[in-house]
Amino acid sequence: DVIRLVGHTDDMAAAYAWADAVISPSVRPEAFGRVAVEAGAMGKPVVATAHGGAQETIINRETGLLAPPGDASALADALVDLYTRKTGGDVRMGEKARARISSLYSRAAMCEATLRVYDELLREKEKNALC
């Protein structure tokens, strides 16, 4: 009665909006882990496996919960933990996830990071030209 497996959808924004939380129990590490970032952008906490990109995009117990890969018991414990938080009215995890994703992955943040790399490269080139 608590978990719904909804299957395929083409409208991920609606799926995230409908969900109280998102589970991403991948068995293989993902380089970036887009699901956690998309869910976080929608203010949804994520329960994910602790490998790959999820370890960078989720702060365990702050913006989501991480469980060891392949550990069904730990994944179940994380789901119970999240459910207990949500039924207790704790929405801060989703709010923190949204704030973190907005600060790291907004268009402005990505442009700033890209320009910072270009600036570093230009300074290095100038330094080498002076030698």
Side-chain angles (χ1 to χ4, degrees), residues 24-90:
S24 181
S26 64
V27 294
R28 288 185 294 247
E30 300 175 43
F32 180 66
R34 192 174 86 188
V35 170
V37 173
E38 289 176 347
M42 296 289 290
K44 307 301 177 176
V46 178
V47 175
T49 43
H51 58 186
Q55 294 181 111
E56 295 179 31
T57 57
I58 297 170
I59 299 174
N60 193 35
R61 307 197 65 71
E62 187 174 323
T63 64
L65 299 170
L66 295 170
D71 189 339
S73 180
L75 184 63
D77 289 345
L79 292 171
V80 169
D81 182 354
L82 187 61
Y83 180 73
T84 302
R85 290 170 187 255
K86 295 293 280 183
T87 56
D90 187 353

Side-chain angles (χ1 to χ4, degrees), residues 67-124:
D71 189 339
S73 180
L75 184 63
D77 289 345
L79 292 171
V80 169
D81 182 354
L82 187 61
Y83 180 73
T84 302
R85 290 170 187 255
K86 295 293 280 183
T87 56
D90 187 353
V91 296
R92 290 174 291 178
M93 190 175 280
E95 292 169 354
K96 288 179 181 180
R98 182 179 177 106
R100 177 172 168 74
I101 297 307
S102 294
S103 72
L104 293 176
Y105 302 109
S106 68
R107 181 177 298 155
M110 288 190 294
C111 287
E112 182 180 316
T114 300
L115 291 173
R116 194 169 40 247
V117 169
Y118 290 159
D119 187 48
E120 290 172 19
L121 291 171
L122 288 171
R123 276 188 272 137
E124 188 65 28

